[in-house]
Structure formats: C-alpha cells, structure tokens
Amino acid sequence: MSTPYPFTALVGQDSLRLALLINAVSPAVGGVLVRGEKGTAKSTAVRALSALLPEVSVVPGCRFSCDPAQPDPACPDGPHESGGGVPRPSRMVELPVGASEDRLVGALDIERALSEGVKAFEPGLLADAHRGILYVDEVNLLHDHLVDLLLDAAAMGASYVEREGVSVRHASKFLLVGTMNPEEGELRPQLLDRFGLTVEVAASREPDQRVEVVRRRLAYDDDPDGFAARWADEETAVRQRVVAARELLPSVRLGDGALRQIAATCAAFEVDGMRADIVMARTATALAAWAGRTDVLAEDVRQAALLALPHRRRRNPFDAPGLDEDRLDETLEEFSGESESESQDQNGQGDGDDEDPDPDGPGGGGGQSPSDSDGPQGGDTGARPEAGEDGPPQTSGGGEQQAAGASEPFRTKVLSVPGLGDGAAGRRSRARTEHGRTTGARRPRGALTKLHLAATVQAAAPHQRARGRTGRGLVVRRDDLRQATREGREGNLVLFVVDASGSMAARQRMSAVKGAVLSLLLDAYQRRDKVGLVTFRGSAAEVALPPTSSVDAAAARLQTLPTGGRTPLAAGLLRAHEVLRVERLRDPARRALVVVVTDGRATGGPEPVALAGRAARLFAADATACVVVDCESGPVRLGLAGQLAGELGGTAVTLDELRADSIAGLVKDVQKDAHRRAA
C-alpha cells in the first residue's frame, strides 16, 4: 500500500480541512461533500483523513466489523458474545462510480440458495465501510440505482439484500464523504441532503502558496516515506487532538441561546425539514470540542451555518450553493442576547475572552468563514429584416445585439427518443436496463445479477430425473440459470441547436426562446441527461458547450448568448452532425435527441435553403431523433420550421405546444412520421 499524503502537509484549504476534522471528532455530523474544480486536492485530503482517525475494536473474524461491546444481534456472522475485541485501523473504502449493485451491497450465491437453501453471502463495500469512511469520488456521476442504495443504508444504518425470497441484513453505519466537480453535473437533492456538511474549494491565486503546493507535491512524489516522516510529528499532534476532542465532546454544553440561534438561522434561510437544525447543532458542538471548550459560542454557530446550510437552502436547479453572510450575521445578532448572557453566567466573562488553543491549526476552531480560505471564492424567400420583428434591436456595436434575459421557465412536455435503447440509466427514453419492469429472460452473459426465477425453474425441471433428484430440493446447474431482462428509462444526449441570428434578435422574442430552452434544460436536469449547445449566427456556427452532464453550465452559456447577423442554418446543422459523430465514438450506447430552436429561415451564402435541406437530410439518414421548436411569430407564418422538420425526419412544435399544459400531444414517433410521409 502506498504511503498517503500527510493531512497536515496540505497547503491552505482551511474550510476543507476543518469540515473533515469536524467529522473525525463527531461522525454523527453526517459526512462532507467537497465541491470544486479539478486539481484542488479534494481526493488527497479525503484519503489523508483516514490516517487521523482512531483505531476501532472489532469482533475477531467478523466480516462486518461488529463492535465487541455492542455486537449486532442480526449479524450474518453472528451471534457474537460481548468482549474480546481486537483493534484495527479505521478503514476508508472507495466506491467506484462504475461499481455494480452486487459490489456495493454484496452478492448471494443464487445457485446454492436455490439448490441447498444456504445463505452464502459475500459482503460488499457497505459492509467494509461499517464504522469507517465510505468515499465516493465524482459522486455526482454515480448511477441512480447506486444512489438509491446509499440513501437507504445512510437512512437506516443497515444494508438489506433481497433475492427471490432469500434475505440478508447487516449493519452499515459509515461516514459518507464525496467529492465532485460541479462542471460535470449536480447531485440529486435527496443524496445532497444526506451529506452533513459541504465545502467549496478552488485553487489559490496567490503565487507564493501555489509555489509551496508544487514544492511539497514534488517532494512527496520523489520520496513518499521520507516526506511523510518529516510530517509525522504534526500528524501525531492532530491525531491526539482529535482523540482529546472526542473525549471532550460529551461534556460540551449546547445552551438554549445557541439552540435559538440555530433554529432562527435555519428558519431565516427556509431550509426544508429539521435535518439542518440537527446537523448544525452537532457541528457547533464538535467545533467547540475541537477548540477545547465545553460551551458552544456564537462563532461556532456561525461556522456551523456556513458549512451545513449552503447545500440545503431553497434554490433553483441552476443556482450555485451559497449563503448570504450578511443575512446570517443579522440573524445571529438578532438572537445573540440570550446566548451571550448564558455564556457570561457559565464563565463569568464574555465570549471575547475565550481563546482558541491552536488558532493556527487546521481550521483553528470556530468562527472562520470558508470564504476566508481557498474556497470560491432556402434563399431569402420569406425572410424578414434581420433586425427582428418587434422593433429595432439594441446593439452593442458591430450589429450584435446585447444578450436578452430568459423568460420564466415552465414545465415542458416529454421529449423522448423512439425505440428501445441500451444507454446509461436515466429518466427519459425506453431502454433495456438493470432496473425496471421484467420483460423476459435470457442466459446470463458473465456474472448473474438479476435472476428470473420462473425461467430458471422451467429450464431445470426437465432434467431432475436425469440428475438423480430424490429429495425435495431442486437440482440446479449453472446452465439452468436465467437472467431477467428488464425495461426502464435511459438518459440521452440532448443536443440543442439554437438560432441566434438577427431574425431571432427581437428582444421579446429571444427572451421567449431562451425561456423555452431553459425549460428544456430543467427537464434534462431532472431526467439525468447529457446536454450540448450549438449556436449559429452571422456566417458560422460554434459549439457553445460540448456534450456534458453539467446542465447548469448550458444554462449559463444560454443566458449570455448574443444575437445578430444572418442565419447560417446549414452551418448549424452540419456542426451539430459533427458533434454527434464524435460523441457516438465516445459513448456509442447513449442515444441522441436533437432539438433545433429556429424559425426555419436560412440566409447568407449561395443557395442557403438547398444547403440547409441537404444538411438536414443527414440526420434523417442516420435515423437521429429530431424535434424542431418553431419560434416563428406574428399573424403571417411561412411554415419554414415545419419544412425543416420534415427534412430532418422529425417533428415540429410551437412554443405554446411545448408547454406541458397544452392540449396537443407533443412528441410523435419520428420514424413512424417519416414512414407515413414516405408512403
């Protein structure tokens, strides 16, 4: 095993170190989610934490790390007698993003269970992580079915494995730590709320600090053991401080004044439920213990709010987590009188006389804001004047109109890809998946994951006499096992091709268009899609956002999208076709849905309408699912968007029809439409 990078050798990142140490002192806080750009030592810090945790005592030979003082009465390796434990280091178990369900929760030997009635169970990662750390790198990319299992285990403190009447249950209480890059997509709200604390990290912009980061990293890479030895004393000091804080924790007093501040703060920021209040209380108590105090002060409550509330406040899906610190200070000040009087009664002095025993240590106790550290801180036929339809455009020079704001988003009808896919799990189009309703059975390819019991029994039944069956049990061989085939939903690549030309440039019209695209982005966020954004105007098209899981990044690009110039529709379609070609090489299983947002006009260059038609027919030849959102407005409509949809082999809808509450059905089967038109 390689020598981990020392926790105390980390440069800066005070809020990250403090959040991890709070959980080391009080695992009941509930873990930490680390958000930040790549290369900011997120994973390094988490892996270094495990070396600071005290040893745990376990029952000898128990695969589920039962506590000898209080063994789990339902442990599959039990029953255990109290006492006689052996110490071992705390574990940090990593959950890979691409892990299977069996790897996470464990696996039953189905063949032995059917033929012998034996619960032959192989523990998974949830068992390994019991009484330790479960670390998920890139947790926002974790598949939904694994997220559901994590939620169940985190809520109940146990893992359940149910397979065809065979049930295994074991304890699974762990410290959940996740890291993520927000550019790659956000986290499901249900899992987000399970993290006790969250911190934002970013690389320092101070040259001296960056130099020190590089110097230490190079020294570690050259000689990991020697580098760790140079930091051994600091590591020991922090480890001893964690142990002392754990011992002091039961003696820390959380007074009514501090509780009122916590409740008032959670109410002021309109967080849902009561988990935020509980997490804040535990965090403030741990901060006081870390600082060596037995009373919770206002500074502990403030620090707890900065760590526990940003990801819990009510916000739109595209809003970054954060907290208004001025509002926080006002709330704490309003309810500070009782807290200060209690502190004076307990200590005979004001809060200002309390001293941090180690103000320069990691986190330094309560009162430091994360923001003080490295945190985040066809020809022209039918074309109208390019200036727009609702009045002259307001330009910023060069004929380019300033970016218009988006109108209020709305709930959209479901856009889906016809047919049955095999893509990543999601919530948009029909697909063959590991989870969903059972539709049939097949021979397993590789390890059996979902047994089709009826098909297995049917395959084994004709051979019972030949296999010498005499008892009541069914003689099952490997060849008899059948894998259940299931149908669920997949996530797709939704590629937006947006017309940003002068014909779309009228302020009111472009605002409505952006509102519609923003609404579709919200839908893509909820359905776990990848999204991409291609825009065209002037004389060319550009990829404003390559395909990504970060839907909020697409929303940000959309908000600042300028408009103006001619309408190079063919260039936009060709660029989109090239994006899809490259993406198919990267992820061939993920099917695409192309959403073209335009009024159908094509201007500029020789034969623009004919060239656009030829580009559109490339999508029809590939059987790519396409929807044209018709943005044409006014009393006289030319129907150019409908013609474009026909050449794409897709369907056209107006902005009004896009709304979920419209009476017209939205998406038809694109291939059936194409066949009807051909007939």
Side-chain angles (χ1 to χ4, degrees):
M1 181 181 296
S2 61
T3 303
Y5 191 91
F7 187 85
T8 51
L10 293 169
V11 179
Q13 308 293 25
D14 292 338
S15 58
L16 169 58
R17 292 191 292 160
L18 178 60
L20 292 173
L21 288 169
I22 289 171
N23 279 276
V25 172
S26 177
V29 167
V32 58
L33 174 66
V34 187
R35 296 166 46 95
E37 59 196 28
K38 52 187 177 292
T40 50
K42 300 187 299 295
S43 299
T44 300
V46 175
R47 293 188 176 99
L49 175 67
S50 60
L52 301 179
L53 298 180
E55 291 184 335
V56 296
S57 180
V58 299
V59 173
C62 179
R63 297 174 297 167
F64 302 89
S65 301
C66 280
D67 185 351
Q70 293 180 321
D72 181 8
C75 176
D77 286 354
H80 304 300
E81 295 183 0
S82 300
V86 295
R88 67 159 174 79
S90 293
R91 290 176 180 166
M92 190 194 73
V93 178
E94 293 194 42
L95 171 60
V97 170
S100 66
E101 179 181 335
D102 286 346
R103 185 70 187 97
L104 178 62
V105 301
L108 287 169
D109 189 331
I110 301 297
E111 187 172 353
R112 290 190 63 192
L114 286 176
S115 59
E116 304 175 28
V118 176
K119 295 182 181 179
F121 181 70
E122 184 66 28
L125 296 178
L126 289 179
D128 293 340
H130 181 46
R131 304 176 65 199
I133 300 173
L134 182 61
Y135 171 50
V136 189
D137 194 12
E138 305 295 350
V139 63
N140 52 321
L141 303 183
L142 202 63
H143 289 305
D144 279 354
H145 68 283
L146 297 182
V147 170
D148 294 336
L149 294 170
L150 276 182
L151 289 174
D152 289 343
M156 297 183 292
S159 175
Y160 293 85
V161 182
E162 303 282 349
R163 291 285 176 83
E164 282 73 37
V166 180
S167 175
V168 174
R169 175 260 180 213
H170 63 83
S172 182
K173 297 179 181 179
F174 48 82
L175 179 63
L176 183 61
V177 180
T179 58
M180 60 174 285
N181 184 349
E183 295 178 356
E184 297 174 338
E186 285 293 343
L187 201 60
R188 276 176 57 182
Q190 295 92 333
L191 183 57
L192 189 64
D193 189 53
R194 283 294 171 185
F195 287 97
L197 310 179
T198 184
V199 292
E200 296 274 347
V201 297
S204 172
R205 299 298 182 257
E206 293 293 331
D208 291 342
Q209 196 170 74
R210 295 176 74 96
V211 167
E212 185 61 22
V213 170
V214 175
R215 182 181 290 118
R216 293 186 186 182
R217 185 69 207 191
L218 292 177
Y220 170 77
D221 291 341
D222 290 341
D223 183 11
D225 293 333
F227 184 82
R230 290 195 292 275
W231 290 89
D233 292 342
E234 288 83 352
E235 291 282 286
T236 300
V238 173
R239 190 180 299 109
Q240 291 174 347
R241 187 175 174 186
V242 169
V243 173
R246 282 193 173 190
E247 294 175 351
L248 182 62
L249 187 64
S251 303
V252 175
R253 179 180 179 274
L254 183 64
D256 289 342
L259 278 172
R260 285 181 61 82
Q261 285 185 317
I262 290 171
T265 301
C266 292
F269 286 96
E270 299 181 336
V271 297
D272 294 325
M274 295 298 297
R275 184 174 284 118
D277 303 63
I278 297 171
V279 171
M280 270 191 67
R282 288 172 174 166
T283 303
T285 304
L287 282 165
W290 176 248
R293 291 185 266 100
T294 57
D295 285 294
V296 174
L297 306 181
E299 64 191 63
D300 300 321
V301 176
R302 184 181 192 277
Q303 181 69 80
L306 291 170
L307 293 171
L309 296 188
H311 61 302
R312 289 189 168 91
R313 69 174 181 83
R314 291 187 179 181
R315 59 189 179 94
N316 292 324
F318 300 141
D319 294 340
L323 217 60
D324 185 341
E325 295 192 30
D326 291 337
R327 185 180 178 189
L328 172 61
D329 291 335
E330 291 174 2
T331 304
L332 294 176
E333 180 67 24
E334 181 181 352
F335 290 86
S336 64
E338 184 178 348
S339 177
E340 290 177 356
S341 63
E342 282 188 359
S343 177
Q344 291 173 355
D345 292 341
Q346 291 292 323
N347 303 318
Q349 58 185 7
D351 293 350
D353 294 331
D354 288 294
E355 295 182 357
D356 187 343
D358 186 8
D360 297 325
Q368 180 179 354
S369 167
S371 61
D372 297 333
S373 66
D374 294 331
Q377 349 241 278
D380 296 336
T381 303
R384 299 181 180 179
E386 299 290 356
E389 302 170 12
D390 300 318
Q394 301 175 6
T395 62
S396 57
E400 181 178 292
Q401 186 178 359
Q402 296 176 354
S407 63
E408 190 70 21
F410 51 86
R411 189 166 63 91
T412 66
K413 293 258 187 201
V414 179
L415 298 168
S416 60
V417 179
L420 196 63
D422 292 286
R427 299 189 183 94
R428 183 171 296 279
S429 304
R430 294 173 54 222
R432 288 175 287 267
T433 62
E434 288 294 321
H435 299 268
R437 63 185 182 89
T438 301
T439 58
R442 60 172 173 80
R443 291 181 181 272
R445 305 184 187 102
L448 179 72
T449 56
K450 295 292 183 182
L451 178 74
H452 194 295
L453 182 59
T456 299
V457 172
Q458 187 176 9
H463 309 290
Q464 296 305 294
R465 180 175 298 177
R467 293 173 182 175
R469 172 186 168 186
T470 58
R472 298 174 60 185
L474 188 68
V475 181
V476 179
R477 303 281 172 82
R478 178 70 187 175
D479 291 342
D480 301 327
L481 299 180
R482 294 295 182 267
Q483 176 85 22
T485 58
R486 303 193 176 194
E487 182 179 311
R489 293 283 171 175
E490 67 177 359
N492 298 117
L493 167 60
V494 182
L495 182 60
F496 294 93
V497 185
V498 181
D499 184 350
S501 65
S503 66
M504 304 281 288
R507 178 74 54 173
Q508 184 178 358
R509 186 177 181 189
M510 197 59 198
S511 177
V513 168
K514 286 188 175 182
V517 178
L518 185 63
S519 302
L520 290 168
L521 284 171
L522 282 166
D523 183 66
Y525 167 79
Q526 295 165 351
R527 298 184 187 280
R528 309 291 286 176
D529 293 315
K530 291 180 69 173
V531 297
L533 179 62
V534 174
T535 64
F536 58 94
R537 66 186 182 91
S539 60
E542 66 171 343
V543 181
L545 183 72
T548 175
S549 297
S550 180
V551 178
D552 54 345
R557 303 289 175 89
L558 178 71
Q559 293 283 16
T560 59
L561 178 66
T563 55
R566 292 188 175 274
T567 311
L569 177 58
L573 295 175
L574 290 174
R575 179 59 63 91
H577 190 268
E578 176 63 17
V579 169
L580 292 183
R581 185 190 68 81
V582 174
E583 194 63 21
R584 287 191 189 102
L585 297 176
R586 294 174 177 168
D587 190 358
R590 188 181 291 270
R591 297 187 295 164
L593 174 66
V594 177
V595 180
V596 185
V597 185
T598 181
D599 56 10
R601 291 173 172 79
T603 62
E607 300 183 342
V609 173
L611 185 58
R614 288 197 295 271
R617 286 189 285 276
L618 293 175
F619 293 86
D622 293 338
T624 302
C626 298
V627 174
V628 178
V629 180
D630 185 359
C631 302
E632 192 174 30
S633 60
V636 179
R637 304 198 179 200
L638 303 175
L640 299 177
Q643 296 176 23
L644 174 63
E647 292 172 320
L648 288 166
T651 187
V653 295
T654 65
L655 290 175
D656 289 337
E657 291 172 336
L658 193 61
R659 294 179 178 273
D661 54 1
S662 66
I663 59 175
L666 179 56
V667 179
K668 305 165 189 166
D669 189 315
V670 178
Q671 293 176 336
K672 289 182 179 178
D673 286 352
H675 292 158
R676 274 200 299 269
R677 281 190 289 270

